[in-house]
Amino acid sequence: MNTLTTFLNLLIFPGGLFLLIISTVYEWVDRKLVARYQNRVGPRWFQPVADIVKLLAKEEIIPNGVRAELFIGLPAVALAAILASALYTPMFGLQPAFSFRGDLIVVLYLLSAMTLSLGLAGANTIDRFSLIGATRTLTQLFSYEAPFLLALLGPAIVAGTWQINEINAYTGTHLWILITQPVGFLVALIGLMGKLELPPFDAPEAETEIVSGALTEYSGRGLALFRIGKDIELVIGLTLISTFYLGGLSNPLWFVLKTGVLLVVVAGLQSLFARLRIDQTVGLWWRIGALLALFQLLAIIVLRLVL
Amino acid sequence: MKIGALLGDVVRSLFKSPATINYPAEPAQAPDNLRGKLIWDNRRCTGCKLCMNDCPANAITLHIIDRKEKRFVMEYYENSCIFCAQCVHSCRSEALRMSNTVWELAALHQEDFKYYYGKQEDVKSLLANEAPGFAGADD
Amino acid sequence: MEDTQKTLDTADELLKPLGIPTNRPEDYRLDASVVPANLLEVAKRIKEAHWGYLSTITGLDHPEPESRESKDRQWRHIQDEAMLDDLESSGAVEILYHFCCGAAVLSLRLLVSYSHATIPTISNLFSSASLYEMELAEMFGVRIQGIPQEHLLLPEDWPKNVYPLRKSFHGLKESGRH
Amino acid sequence: MNHKPSADEKFIIPIGPQHPALKEPGHFEFSVDGEIVTGATVRLGYAHRGIEKATEERSWQQNAYILERICGICSHIHATAYTIGVERLAGVTISPRANTIRTLVAELERVHSHMLWWGVAAHEGGFDTLFMYTWRDRETIMDILENLSGNRVNYSANLLGGVKFDIDQKQVDMIRKGIDFLEERTHYYYQVITTDETFLGRTENIGTMTREQAESLGSVGPTARASGVERDIRVNAPYAAYTDFLIKMITDTAGDLKARFVVRLKELFESYRLIREMLDNLPEGELVVRVPRRIPEGETISRVEAPRGELFYYLASKGGDKPERIKVRTPTLPNWSSVLSVIVGHKLADVPMMLVGIDPCFSCNDRMITLQRKDNSDVWTWAKLRQYGIDYYK
């Protein structure tokens, strides 16, 4: 792989620029859908871009009682982790830029690195709201990590490989895993919403309780980086679930269609429920989510032995 | 105990047009008896100053240039007016009413909210001798 | 309307044994003139009889001193000499305890002069009273024994013994604040 | 001030005056022993504008407008209490038509206030869609009020001696159409609030107040009626047109947060019925009767039922054109004392939702209640209060 194509991959196609564009488009679609569900007009198309540009232009204030290097470094780490994980997913329906055996585990690790750095960013300050936000983010991270991983392992076992683009090829040719493993799909979808802290699981940034949780102290560049990271995480989450459960992504049209439908469902779920208290989310997820995922795995293994 | 009691409404509103309008691009229609900006009719005014005394926000000052020829000037501060129409009801000669079209209160500086109602020459003469301590001069 | 009269009559019976002078300024109201000494006594009787609830406590400022002979309703019922001398020298604060039961309103009227404005608290009988008493203390300068003495509505740095709801108060500038 | 209390020492959790839950300035101090709240004080006064002092320097006509601005959502009921008192002092009886219009606007305002409240309560519980829908439907009632009076919020319908506007047939039909739509929506919301799992998780048997507690603490309005206390001034001491148009008092026995929601929603059905009844037989009569500029000497007490409970006005006049004294006691005040003493003994985690439960209106009552006070304190934020409670639940 000569340096030019890697350079191109890193910076232009599945890497930086393309991701920025597609994440703002998806954020806009998400906010517009939630608005329409709530019978509101919703933001104009360039609103997410405007937000990010405004934030980047703003001065970044470093509050005292905070370790400056961590305060500045963490948003960059978060964004880097997310951008790296994007390289291994079949972004826009095309082959992933890089692929090696076991890259599914690396992608999942990178995704949780993002939430981890968000939690650390909150814990780094002495402001009460972000301390509370940080503890809630980390509690939610631990409770959503395992079932989400199990839900993604289901199709991986069926496909017999840990490499995303091989799974992509497998799901492309076979029956949609959604039909064979519906429970897994449900657990994955709700796990994604828990990971992205979308309502009803938005206790870590409950606006009426703790202002904006771990991000309360952030402004300007740091906040912009975290916001972009969150949007890209949404896009990657949607691509992962559609590659695994909705019969793979072979061309851009399929990509847009499948992730679009998924986004409509996610936005609908967002506007349907009241915010669960953190103890309710964790209680719900460990009791129901984890068990369902385990049963799903058990069923697959048993079926494979029988068939 | 239902999960997501709002499901029907949420899905339906996806296809309904939004209830919000993007004002000011689309104008917001006001009802016909909206209490907007005060309008004074100097032909009917008798200079009794009832409106001035009853106004809870002291938004009206009535200057009497000449009582016999009924030449008055009303100084009206739209930014301190609270649009309660007490003056309209206190006025015995129906010289005041509130417009239902002018209600958008936005201006670049305070002076834009200060209106002088009355004939041109009265207003000019009032402003001409608007020397300090003028307020008491006309009574 | 007649059951309001009945409620007012029951209130009257309640107060008769204590020899409290009462009158009815309006058909739904009963005024009873009390003095600091028998205030707690009256309040306890009202509470035991479950006669309605304490709605609020109003303070009235009477700044002008009044000579004994004047027939004004203010001090007709007061006998003790020391109080009468006070009333001739300084103004007074009248405190009304309003109790409501259905449509009837019983108001206990209590007069204290500026110099001897200390009254007992009734908040251990009616717990919501402490709020109204705190406001009364702050706004009219009446010392109330038994409730914490600190600012309730006015900011912490409000100048000492400046009482805003007294007629003499016309704004902070004259009363010595910057 | 930030001294760390030792384990057995109780400590105070001060919250506010700006706290993200309620958008109005109130400062709470909960003294807590381990997990249970042992004492609660609320220090208000941040919205204290010295209104009672201001009324002593304004004429009787002007006072109606300053008293109307005590509270944003119940402005009409303040003006009604005031004008009824002044008319009684002046010995003026207003025409039945003006009386009915005044009561009609009071009921429309009750619908407006209750809808605003449960939208905000839903928002507090994180149920933003319900908040959006409720406030969208609330536009109907605000359009009705704007159409009638010419102003969306401070409708200033009252004048000394009557009302400012008349209601013609076109407006009657407009109100009727709006009320039908609102009634159908209230049925729908009643369904949602009493069945939605996530919402019940935040309201069922939280902040329960028994009937004795409610009575002895002097709580008023829907908060008291949710605990079974029969206190509704429209029924006990009917004023304005409530003597001819009778209202049924809605009570509940559960006394918890859900009961407070249910009582307020059922009250709305009662208000819709009353509004229709008033529209059906709107009596004749002129709008305003002349009231002298100088009100004869005397004093009176005017009690009305505001959306949040009993509103108490004491008016005294010395015969001038300015009042001698106007005392206002707003309904949220005793509700504060009743809820804060009920909070004592409750878990910390339920406190935020309970505070929203009484539909507090800070600007309505710039006062404070002191029940218990400890000297040492450790500074926590509102969020830490919530988190402290939530850890307890885990």
mmCIF file of all heavy atoms in Angstrom, chain B residues 51 87 93 116:
data_model
loop_
_atom_site.group_PDB
_atom_site.id
_atom_site.type_symbol
_atom_site.label_atom_id
_atom_site.label_comp_id
_atom_site.label_asym_id
_atom_site.label_seq_id
_atom_site.Cartn_x
_atom_site.Cartn_y
_atom_site.Cartn_z
ATOM 1 N N CYS B 51 -55.959 59.974 30.708
ATOM 2 C CA CYS B 51 -55.131 58.826 30.251
ATOM 3 C C CYS B 51 -53.764 58.913 30.894
ATOM 4 O O CYS B 51 -53.205 57.916 31.365
ATOM 5 C CB CYS B 51 -55.025 58.848 28.730
ATOM 6 S SG CYS B 51 -54.300 60.362 28.119
ATOM 7 N N CYS B 87 -55.834 53.283 29.306
ATOM 8 C CA CYS B 87 -56.040 54.658 28.820
ATOM 9 C C CYS B 87 -57.245 54.694 27.892
ATOM 10 O O CYS B 87 -58.086 55.602 27.970
ATOM 11 C CB CYS B 87 -54.789 55.132 28.094
ATOM 12 S SG CYS B 87 -54.227 53.974 26.838
ATOM 13 N N SER B 93 -63.616 60.661 25.761
ATOM 14 C CA SER B 93 -64.043 61.151 24.434
ATOM 15 C C SER B 93 -63.535 60.222 23.335
ATOM 16 O O SER B 93 -63.371 60.642 22.195
ATOM 17 C CB SER B 93 -63.465 62.569 24.225
ATOM 18 O OG SER B 93 -62.119 62.559 24.658
ATOM 19 N N TYR B 116 -44.209 61.388 18.870
ATOM 20 C CA TYR B 116 -44.926 62.635 19.173
ATOM 21 C C TYR B 116 -46.156 62.663 18.277
ATOM 22 O O TYR B 116 -46.035 62.755 17.064
ATOM 23 C CB TYR B 116 -44.037 63.859 18.889
ATOM 24 C CG TYR B 116 -42.965 64.058 19.929
ATOM 25 C CD1 TYR B 116 -41.680 63.543 19.761
ATOM 26 C CD2 TYR B 116 -43.263 64.719 21.134
ATOM 27 C CE1 TYR B 116 -40.718 63.704 20.730
ATOM 28 C CE2 TYR B 116 -42.292 64.865 22.104
ATOM 29 C CZ TYR B 116 -41.027 64.355 21.906
ATOM 30 O OH TYR B 116 -40.077 64.503 22.867
#
